[in-house]
Amino acid sequence: MNPRPRTLRPATWTPAIRMGLSIAVATGLYGISFGALAVAAGLTVWQAMALSLLMFTGGSQFAFIGVIAGGGAGSAALGAAALLGVRNAVYGMQMNAMVAPTGWRKAVAAQLTIDESAATAAGQTTPDEQRRGFWTAGIGVFVLWNLFTLLGAVLGDALGDPRRWGLDGAAVAAFLGLLWPRLQQREPVALAVVCGVATALAVPVLPPGLPILLAAVLGAAWGWWGRDPDADAATPPAREGGAA
């Protein structure tokens, strides 16, 4: 009998694969909440599944059903979802350079570029691990998110209030787990605090989707104005043929 492939043996999983799988489980479980809330907002099971399969970005999906549940028009729901989805385009540019997909994989990578896959890839230190983290988290979240969306939509009211199960907190905890190891110097900590405060202040006064974009703009501005041009000019170019 042939032994199991390396990828099926947990002992052979790299840190990126382990992180991607843990993020996938934590985020995928939250799909139960979306499925139940989507049905409660008046969507059918198949409509809820279509959102998870095609839109596949949790924040945008919750924004969409939030507007629908509040009696808003479909155009308003799409507008709110689109605002939140803009951040994935920003991730896409970074992931295209980091993961470098080719051929048909480029279209698949575009669909799988979400908060979780981008954060898992960015949390790695080598190109191979970045790719493993991206694909593991992206595929894992896609599969589990859709499975649990179906479960939540089918069970519907039998679940009661999905928030009492703590599923909303699982996704937040997963992001904190990704962020925490990167906060080892003063500048990342300061940037996280500034962006967090700005987002918290903007949530009550801005439409859904804009607070997170405001945080992204602040982060980009910090990186642009905070860099040292003299240090960049003083960095010697890498020699051809590998390490110096």
Side-chain angles (χ1 to χ4, degrees):
M1 181 181 295
N2 294 329
R4 290 182 298 171
R6 285 176 57 84
T7 54
L8 297 182
R9 302 205 306 267
T12 67
W13 291 347
T14 68
I17 293 176
R18 294 179 185 276
M19 178 182 292
L21 290 176
S22 63
I23 291 296
V25 172
T27 305
L29 284 170
Y30 197 23
I32 296 177
S33 180
F34 171 74
L37 292 175
V39 172
L43 274 65
T44 67
V45 172
W46 297 115
Q47 287 172 331
M49 287 303 303
L51 284 176
S52 283
L53 286 166
L54 301 176
M55 185 178 289
F56 185 54
T57 171
S60 295
Q61 293 177 228
F62 279 106
F64 183 92
I65 64 171
V67 173
I68 295 297
S75 58
L78 285 174
L83 279 174
L84 275 172
V86 169
R87 71 192 190 281
N88 289 346
V90 179
Y91 298 153
M93 292 184 287
Q94 181 185 15
M95 292 301 103
N96 188 53
M98 185 179 295
V99 180
T102 58
W104 59 269
R105 292 180 180 83
K106 188 178 288 288
V108 176
Q111 177 69 355
L112 298 180
T113 299
I114 54 175
D115 298 319
E116 291 79 9
S117 59
T120 304
Q124 312 309 314
T125 57
T126 65
D128 285 345
E129 282 289 82
Q130 289 170 346
R131 285 189 286 270
R132 291 189 190 102
F134 174 84
W135 290 112
T136 302
I139 295 172
V141 172
F142 184 84
V143 171
L144 293 180
W145 179 264
N146 281 281
L147 285 176
F148 284 112
T149 291
L150 178 60
L151 180 62
V154 169
L155 294 179
D157 293 337
L159 288 173
D161 185 355
R163 290 174 295 183
R164 70 189 178 95
W165 300 97
L167 299 178
D168 50 343
V172 176
F175 274 109
L176 287 177
L178 283 173
L179 176 64
W180 189 260
R182 303 179 71 87
L183 301 181
Q184 297 179 349
Q185 297 177 346
R186 291 182 180 180
E187 184 175 3
V189 172
L191 177 58
V193 170
V194 169
C195 290
V197 170
T199 302
L201 294 175
V203 165
V205 296
L206 293 180
L210 288 185
I212 190 64
L213 294 181
L214 173 62
V217 170
L218 286 175
W222 185 300
W224 178 261
W225 279 295
R227 67 177 184 171
D228 186 352
D230 294 334
D232 293 340
T235 301
R239 295 187 299 177
E240 294 185 3

